[in-house]
Amino acid sequence: AAAIGNFDGVHIGHQSVFNQAARLAREKNGSSIALTFDPHPIKLLDPEKSPRFLTKLSTKAKRIGECGIDLLVIEPFTWKIADLTAEAFVETILVHKLKTRIIIVGSGFSFGQGRKGNVQTLQKLGKKFGFSVEMIKPIQFGGKPVSSTRIRKLVEEGDLENANKFLGKNYCISGVVVKGKQRGNKIGFPTANIENGDLLTPATGVYACNVQVEGETLNGVVNIGNNPTFNRNELIIEAHIFDFNKQLYGQEIEIGFVRRIRSEKEFPSTNALTSQIQKDIQTAKSILTEI
């Protein structure tokens, strides 16, 4: 039983596809497979329109495994794959390579050269090649379907509370801790600064967060911004971890965004900034106690 898609974010809609694939495989005493592509097809086909994504490949693999899928197949997306007709794609990859008997996809699934194949195409080819097709209807939230595009917009707007509902867990970014300007240390709030890489960065502002450090989940507050109080114009991601004073330089940490506390703003003095940081920490602690 094969679930097919790009699965950026592995959101609750994707999870319903995986759950169905795992269930059907168990019923047939078979194996469940998730087939995805790397890089994401849009990066090859139309790189100028490629968005920043919600999950890196290793995170996607981990979350798909958590949904009960037995095997993840990552097909390198090349021009050779892109130029396959819908029928050639099905015959070459789904029938001969994966020996698929049941295919599970979302309603908006498209495939093959020029994305000309859709669910109806898949169903017709299923009759020819001897597999069945299950289409999972999109999960609705607020009258609209949950989608990776919708989640990206929420993250860009800083609405992590709703983005997290659609993802089924906190939105996360990860990176290696790098040396900053040490201003946090000087005002009594040491921070771990990371470079995000290719993932989508939430809107500037201050957020309550969880931080994964050496396999441990710790609470904290993270600032994303340009540090206008100190006249900086480069985007900084800096997390202050509560009751934590170890050096983390060179280590990879993961920041999970829980809720936005406030937008970024400039303060008239370091004292005013320090006072606001203390308030942010108390607000973050209250938020993190609620969940």
Side-chain angles (χ1 to χ4, degrees), residues 89-108:
F89 174 82
V90 166
E91 186 173 11
T92 304
I93 294 176
L94 302 184
V95 176
H96 293 317
K97 187 181 281 191
L98 298 181
K99 298 179 171 38
T100 307
R101 300 300 302 275
I102 309 170
I103 295 174
I104 303 93
V105 293
S107 60

Side-chain angles (χ1 to χ4, degrees), residues 19-248:
N19 292 338
Q20 181 71 338
R23 186 184 68 78
L24 290 169
R26 284 194 302 270
E27 286 180 0
K28 303 291 184 182
N29 209 21
S31 299
S32 56
I33 293 173
L35 171 64
T36 192
F37 305 92
D38 186 59
H40 190 293
I42 197 170
K43 292 189 82 169
L44 182 75
L45 300 174
D46 199 350
E48 290 186 2
K49 290 186 179 178
S50 177
R52 286 205 157 199
F53 295 107
L54 301 168
T55 41
K56 58 185 181 180
L57 190 59
S58 59
T59 304
K60 186 190 292 189
K62 178 184 173 186
R63 292 185 180 171
I64 290 172
E66 290 169 352
C67 294
I69 293 293
D70 296 316
L71 181 68
L72 173 64
V73 177
I74 301 165
E75 183 70 35
F77 195 80
T78 61
W79 282 111
K80 183 178 179 181
I81 294 292
D83 287 339
L84 289 175
T85 64
E87 182 165 347
F89 174 82
V90 166
E91 186 173 11
T92 304
I93 294 176
L94 302 184
V95 176
H96 293 317
K97 187 181 281 191
L98 298 181
K99 298 179 171 38
T100 307
R101 300 300 302 275
I102 309 170
I103 295 174
I104 303 93
V105 293
S107 60
F109 179 70
S110 60
F111 68 105
Q113 189 181 59
R115 299 180 67 184
K116 292 176 182 174
N118 55 26
V119 176
Q120 288 71 35
T121 311
L122 205 54
Q123 289 168 336
K124 288 178 185 175
L125 292 169
K127 291 175 183 175
K128 178 176 180 178
F129 292 110
F131 59 80
S132 61
V133 179
E134 289 242 352
M135 185 192 76
I136 306 298
K137 291 182 179 179
I139 292 177
Q140 299 285 322
F141 204 101
K144 297 179 182 177
V146 172
S147 69
S148 300
T149 300
R150 191 177 174 196
I151 294 169
R152 287 188 203 109
K153 187 171 187 295
L154 291 169
V155 172
E156 288 173 341
E157 292 170 350
D159 186 357
L160 273 296
E161 196 168 5
N162 277 313
N164 293 342
K165 288 176 184 174
F166 297 169
L167 288 167
K169 57 174 57 189
N170 292 337
Y171 179 66
C172 295
I173 61 174
S174 61
V176 173
V177 177
V178 296
K179 205 152 193 173
K181 297 293 184 181
Q182 306 296 304
R183 289 200 174 101
N185 271 323
K186 290 172 184 174
I187 61 175
F189 303 102
T191 60
N193 292 34
I194 69 164
E195 295 174 348
N196 182 29
D198 292 334
L199 293 184
L200 182 63
T201 301
T204 58
V206 178
Y207 299 81
C209 69
N210 302 129
V211 186
Q212 289 281 340
V213 179
E214 299 174 341
E216 189 178 2
T217 302
L218 305 171
N219 290 336
V221 62
V222 59
N223 177 68
I224 298 177
N226 302 299
N227 283 343
T229 304
F230 297 109
N231 300 313
R232 301 209 30 202
N233 55 14
E234 61 178 300
L235 191 70
I236 304 293
I237 304 169
E238 49 187 352
H240 171 67
I241 305 170
F242 303 150
D243 306 313
F244 185 87
N245 55 15
K246 291 182 184 177
Q247 293 285 0
L248 293 172

